[in-house]
Amino acid sequence: MGVFVRGTRYYIELPDGRQRSTGLLAAPENRPAAEQILQEVLDGLADGGVPRRTPSRAQTVRDYFSSWIAEQSYATVRDDSTRLDRHAMPLIGDVPLSEIHPRHVRELVDRLKAKIPTNELAPRSVRHVYEALKRMLQRAVDDELLIRNPCNLRKNELPAKVDKNPSWRPNARFDRAEVQVLMSDLRIPEDRRVAYGIIFMTGARIGEVIAARWSDIQDRQPLQCLVLARSWDTKKRKENDHTKTHVA
């Protein structure tokens, strides 16, 4: 029985042998808080209560964000860290994690949506902040620090996926000179130049090129043929055995 480290977090072991996460990053400064959580659970048992994995009263949404983000390695983690730190933590960071409710999330989104008319934020950016917060709080649910995820807004409560400047996307194209540089400039690593060449010459998606292998090249006349039948999912960080359109 006591506090111990598993992976990158502090866990507690109860008298009956059950082990529970505290949700705290395994850093020396967090050990007193982990021991406090253990004591609170033991006190609950002594009073005839049911032990729960619960954060210390001092643990706020910002505290949990700091420990959670340090463990993440998915493709857009840096972007999500900036989004949450810049837009979410100033508004809900000081709320105790155990007391975060849907109304807090709704108020956060409403405050962010109010910045859209003044071009301080794009509608798409508001959705990115919400999705990052939802991902983080789902981990808190998995850690049994929350009973349910408070990010349960309906689709019509979120802004549409629109760019801050809707007119830029149709003109976001490389010109001929830029394409030549990306394919031939020796300052660019060779594997990148090859990938850019395939993308520009074939119109393939980036995930399809990432998943391509040398064995996918077939000898045909008059030119060789590259068969793209798989794709790489950058969000889930795994290879799919099909392309986005399920057509090779």
Side-chain angles (χ1 to χ4, degrees), residues 4-30:
F4 65 96
V5 175
R6 176 185 295 167
T8 60
R9 297 199 178 210
Y10 279 119
Y11 279 69
I12 59 175
E13 184 174 5
L14 303 181
D16 58 7
R18 282 180 290 175
Q19 299 174 349
R20 299 174 179 271
S21 170
T22 65
L24 297 172
L25 195 64
E29 61 269 22
N30 289 335

Side-chain angles (χ1 to χ4, degrees), residues 137-153:
L137 295 180
Q138 184 56 49
R139 175 60 182 270
V141 173
D142 296 341
D143 285 339
E144 297 182 20
L145 298 170
L146 292 173
I147 296 176
R148 61 180 62 86
N149 194 330
C151 294
N152 60 358
L153 297 185

Side-chain angles (χ1 to χ4, degrees), residues 2 4 15 17 19 22 61-62 101 103 109 112 126 130 132 146 148 153-154 156 162 171 175 178 192 195 217 231 238:
F4 65 96
Q19 299 174 349
T22 65
V61 173
R62 182 179 283 103
H101 296 296
R103 64 180 176 83
V109 171
L112 297 181
V126 176
Y130 174 78
L146 292 173
R148 61 180 62 86
L153 297 185
R154 299 180 179 87
N156 60 4
V162 180
N171 300 316
D175 59 32
E178 290 171 330
R192 299 295 180 88
I217 299 176
S231 62
K238 71 171 186 176

Side-chain angles (χ1 to χ4, degrees), residues 68-83:
W68 172 79
I69 202 69
E71 296 181 344
Q72 305 309 303
S73 60
Y74 58 91
T76 59
V77 61
R78 290 186 179 180
D79 293 334
D80 283 351
S81 177
T82 300
R83 289 165 183 147

